[in-house]
Amino acid sequence: MHRRNFLHWGSLGLSALSFSGFRNAGIAQKPLVISTWDAGIAANAAAWKILRSGGRALDAVEKGVMVTESELNCCVGLGANPDRDGLVTLDACIMDENANCGSVAFLERIKHPISVARRVMEKTPHVMLVGSGAQQFAVAEGFPLESGKLSDDAERAYKNWLQKSEYKPVINIERGKSPQAYAVPTKLANGEWNHDTIGMVAIDAQGNLSGSCTTSGMGFKMRGRLGDSPIIGAGLFVDNEVGAATATGQGEDVIRICGSHLVVENMRNGYSPENACKAAVERIVKVKGVAKCKEIQVGFIAINKQGEYGGYCLQKGFSFAVCYADDKNFMVDGKFILS
Ligand code: ASP
């Protein structure tokens, strides 16, 4: 009898503790869409049109990031910086509320990798297609094969890079910029971009979650290099019972900790989205050490099943876009753990 009471009160006490200890106060919004970096504003606006009219989060996260993929001279899609052989290779993945997922990687000359990833999810028994096989599938599905010509900005950036051809694949400061450079997560003065990805997660009016992530990867990367962005659990993860998360920054370090999956599991254990992201960033610091972390950037964003959102990053300079109404589409500066 006493023991039963003890267990009962014990478990109540534990959950009360975890909620007051880990959760942030915050107004839950539904529907809601959030995405990485300032390109997220335009992407959110497209996603919001679908969410506002009662549409599915899956459609919203696909249509949202397609806006960014379409932009010429942008950090994502065919207009982005090439690899060190001068070729643009794209990675993307998508995941829905039923744990269905699809991914493409090392895909060339296709404008919308996110839509090919969705077709992989919906039309094949597989999760991931890469390289020429992914391209072959895309063409068979009716996606046009584009020219492969570099955008003006990418051409200029590549020519600059070729002058030294230094292989310094350090995200966000890879072009020899000081840490202050990524206080402006947009196009740099020399026309180059200091990040290469958009990740988006959304909850629809029905309370279902989905996410998408699309990238050209690191500028001037080794040919064949993949980052976290097309890898389910690393660059993106959705669990419809709990929440959804996506990542940006140095993909190798996100892969090492299964970053987006870790963020979702942190939320399952009672953390708010912001604290779940923070704990994942702390894990990277623990694994890699403070000194090496000062050379890179990683940021996570997340939403939970209640429609709360949050983000966290290693260093100052990461921001994300939040949208939950026609006139509520705004940037939030990511909190950071290194100073
Ligand atoms: N995470 C991407 C990658 O490592 C890059 C980025 O987020 O900018 O390929």
Side-chain angles (χ1 to χ4, degrees):
M1 173 80 172
H2 282 306
R3 182 174 149 75
R4 195 180 297 150
N5 276 346
F6 172 78
L7 285 176
H8 176 67
W9 285 105
S11 69
L12 276 183
L14 259 187
S15 53
L17 252 187
S18 57
F19 277 83
S20 61
F22 295 143
R23 297 181 77 85
N24 283 344
I27 302 161
Q29 308 285 345
K30 219 189 302 177
L32 166 78
V33 56
I34 66 173
S35 53
T36 55
W37 304 108
D38 47 4
I41 291 283
N44 280 358
W48 180 250
K49 282 188 193 151
I50 292 164
L51 295 173
R52 171 181 65 191
S53 53
R56 195 175 165 202
L58 180 69
D59 295 321
V61 297
E62 180 192 3
K63 293 289 180 300
V65 302
M66 281 173 74
V67 169
T68 327
E69 288 180 341
S70 294
E71 271 180 43
L72 265 189
N73 298 326
C74 182
C75 52
V76 169
L78 289 175
N81 282 337
D83 64 15
R84 63 186 194 177
D85 290 9
L87 299 162
V88 176
T89 68
L90 302 176
D91 310 326
C93 72
I94 194 161
M95 190 162 187
D96 76 7
E97 72 274 19
N98 299 312
N100 296 312
C101 44
S103 162
V104 287
F106 197 48
L107 177 62
E108 291 175 277
R109 296 175 56 192
I110 300 288
K111 188 172 175 185
H112 288 301
I114 197 64
S115 302
V116 186
R118 182 166 176 176
R119 297 282 174 95
V120 172
M121 173 175 97
E122 292 179 338
K123 293 200 159 182
T124 79
H126 308 302
V127 166
M128 197 163 192
L129 291 179
V130 304
S132 58
Q135 190 190 68
Q136 191 182 332
F137 171 72
V139 170
E141 283 293 310
F143 290 86
L145 197 57
E146 309 289 339
S147 74
K149 190 179 169 311
L150 294 184
S151 69
D152 293 347
D153 279 0
E155 176 104 49
R156 204 173 310 123
Y158 184 55
K159 281 186 181 150
N160 274 345
W161 179 80
L162 278 177
Q163 285 173 10
K164 286 193 181 165
S165 299
E166 271 180 329
Y167 190 55
K168 281 191 186 165
V170 178
I171 211 84
N172 289 4
I173 51 173
E174 59 195 337
R175 288 134 203 162
K177 295 281 162 185
S178 66
Q180 284 69 31
Y182 42 70
V184 187
T186 54
K187 205 181 278 188
L188 302 173
N190 61 3
E192 296 175 353
W193 292 88
N194 61 354
H195 62 88
D196 313 278
T197 299
I198 182 162
M200 174 178 274
V201 286
I203 183 165
D204 60 29
Q206 292 70 43
N208 286 322
L209 301 160
S210 288
S212 59
C213 189
T214 181
T215 191
S216 58
M218 283 174 179
F220 321 120
K221 62 195 173 189
M222 281 179 73
R223 185 141 178 85
R225 178 264 182 192
L226 295 185
D228 59 315
S229 303
I231 299 177
I232 296 294
L236 175 73
F237 195 70
V238 176
D239 184 320
N240 207 45
E241 284 183 357
V242 176
T246 185
T248 184
Q250 180 129 314
E252 284 75 2
D253 292 298
V254 177
I255 293 171
R256 254 186 268 283
I257 62 156
C258 291
S260 295
H261 182 261
L262 178 60
V263 172
V264 171
E265 290 308 296
N266 289 341
M267 290 193 283
R268 191 190 308 282
N269 289 328
Y271 284 67
S272 69
E274 181 179 296
N275 285 340
C277 293
K278 183 181 184 193
V281 175
E282 284 169 348
R283 181 76 64 89
I284 291 175
V285 177
K286 192 172 175 203
V287 167
K288 198 175 172 84
V290 173
K292 285 188 180 162
C293 282
K294 286 190 172 164
E295 302 294 310
I296 63 159
Q297 175 67 302
V298 171
F300 293 103
I301 60 171
I303 59 177
N304 65 15
K305 190 71 178 167
Q306 288 71 46
E308 296 168 312
Y309 65 83
Y312 230 93
C313 58
L314 270 173
Q315 316 222 23
K316 186 171 191 258
F318 169 63
S319 57
F320 58 100
V322 176
C323 178
Y324 50 82
D326 281 342
D327 60 343
K328 297 275 185 303
N329 187 9
F330 53 90
M331 294 306 297
V332 175
D333 284 334
K335 294 183 185 166
F336 51 95
I337 57 173
L338 299 180
S339 48

